[in-house]
Amino acid sequence: AQKITQTQPGMFVQEKEAVTLDCTYDTSDQSYGLFWYKQPSSGEMIFLIYQGSYDEQNATEGRYSLNFQKARKSANLVISASQLGDSAMYFCAMREGQGAGFQKLVFGTGTRLLVSP
Amino acid sequence: DGGITQSPKYLFRKEGQNVTLSCEQNLNHDAMYWYRQDPGQGLRLIYYSQIVNDFQKGDIAEGYSVSREKKESFPLTVTSAQKNPTAFYLCASSMWTGNNQPQHFGDGTRLSIL
């Protein structure tokens, strides 16, 4: 069975500072993918960043980067230069299953980030 | 603009009543998914469909049913057999090919019991 663990129920950060949201995973698959989503209070899930298990470089998307440590089975999200609009729930998810197109995602319980002025 | 439309935004169900949540996408995605989110929890997969006229149970399918008659549409019915239906329901879709393709989500439907 695959599992995602997010141990930080809540995080606080001041505007313009960087913050790291933790995610560890458990899988016996060699091929897997890790996703981070943002969920504002309005409810929609917004895709932020993806890291494949065979990717040699850590993924980056604008202010978002992923600190991928395969041996430790961790995929932490780093948000640089936090903005007030970053306040939201953040979910780590892992793609389960093999083969093209098969994309069952297993989600963690999320981390609530609050950015203060 | 391409995207996923869920309706209604809020839905109330009476005891013993079936209700249907709508999900339409114009992203030309082959795969579609339904998730349930309870307070303080992550998303749990109810059903998913990889192609038209085919769908598979997810982790918590009991008390739910789906259909996939068109590529664009994947409605979810919450039946009276679902004893605790109060939750936030999210529909998603993704490309069929490419393991790095993210799932795109709708804005969700919040279902409550009257």
Side-chain angles (χ1 to χ4, degrees):
Chain A
Q2 297 180 328
K3 184 178 176 182
I4 294 285
T5 302
Q6 295 181 255
T7 57
Q8 306 155 313
M11 291 285 287
F12 295 90
V13 66
Q14 275 202 311
E15 202 176 4
K16 300 180 185 176
E17 292 186 349
V19 62
T20 297
L21 306 183
D22 295 341
C23 173
T24 58
Y25 58 93
D26 183 24
T27 180
S28 55
D29 289 345
Q30 295 301 309
S31 175
Y32 52 89
L34 296 153
F35 299 80
W36 276 92
Y37 285 86
K38 172 184 177 181
Q39 187 178 41
S41 57
S42 51
E44 75 271 26
M45 297 284 282
I46 302 166
F47 166 70
L48 296 177
I49 196 166
Y50 168 82
Q51 180 82 44
S53 59
Y54 293 120
D55 293 343
E56 295 184 354
Q57 303 282 342
N58 284 344
T60 59
E61 287 287 347
R63 293 187 299 111
Y64 304 108
S65 60
L66 209 150
N67 183 1
F68 182 49
Q69 299 187 42
K70 194 170 181 177
R72 297 181 62 183
K73 293 187 175 179
S74 73
N76 299 338
L77 177 70
V78 180
I79 305 175
S80 63
S82 296
Q83 302 173 356
L84 296 178
D86 293 335
S87 294
M89 283 289 289
Y90 288 81
F91 290 94
C92 180
M94 180 165 59
R95 170 179 47 79
E96 182 178 66
Q98 301 286 340
F102 185 49
Q103 274 217 35
K104 181 180 176 180
L105 290 182
V106 177
F107 284 82
T109 53
T111 296
R112 182 171 298 280
L113 176 66
L114 290 178
V115 180
S116 60
Chain B
D1 284 336
I4 300 176
T5 301
Q6 287 188 243
S7 62
K9 194 172 180 67
Y10 299 94
L11 187 58
F12 299 91
R13 195 192 89 168
K14 296 180 181 179
E15 294 286 345
Q17 186 182 44
N18 293 353
V19 291
T20 297
L21 284 60
S22 171
C23 178
E24 303 276 335
Q25 55 99 359
N26 60 4
L27 299 168
N28 200 31
H29 286 167
D30 290 297
M32 297 187 73
Y33 315 80
W34 273 105
Y35 292 91
R36 170 179 171 141
Q37 186 178 27
D38 292 284
Q41 297 190 31
L43 279 63
R44 292 183 291 168
L45 183 64
I46 304 172
Y47 268 98
Y48 63 97
S49 168
Q50 297 169 344
I51 56 173
V52 174
N53 292 323
D54 184 59
F55 47 83
Q56 307 294 328
K57 291 183 179 180
D59 299 317
I60 55 167
E62 186 175 350
Y64 300 97
S65 65
V66 293
S67 63
R68 186 87 187 276
E69 297 177 1
K70 298 186 302 181
K71 186 176 183 178
E72 301 80 18
S73 178
F74 191 40
L76 172 74
T77 296
V78 184
T79 74
S80 57
Q82 173 49 245
K83 297 306 179 188
N84 184 23
T86 297
F88 188 54
Y89 292 86
L90 284 158
C91 177
S93 70
S94 69
M95 295 285 285
W96 172 242
T97 57
N99 290 332
N100 63 340
Q101 294 298 317
Q103 291 183 14
H104 298 266
F105 286 81
D107 291 344
T109 293
R110 200 166 295 278
L111 176 61
S112 302
I113 292 291
L114 281 179

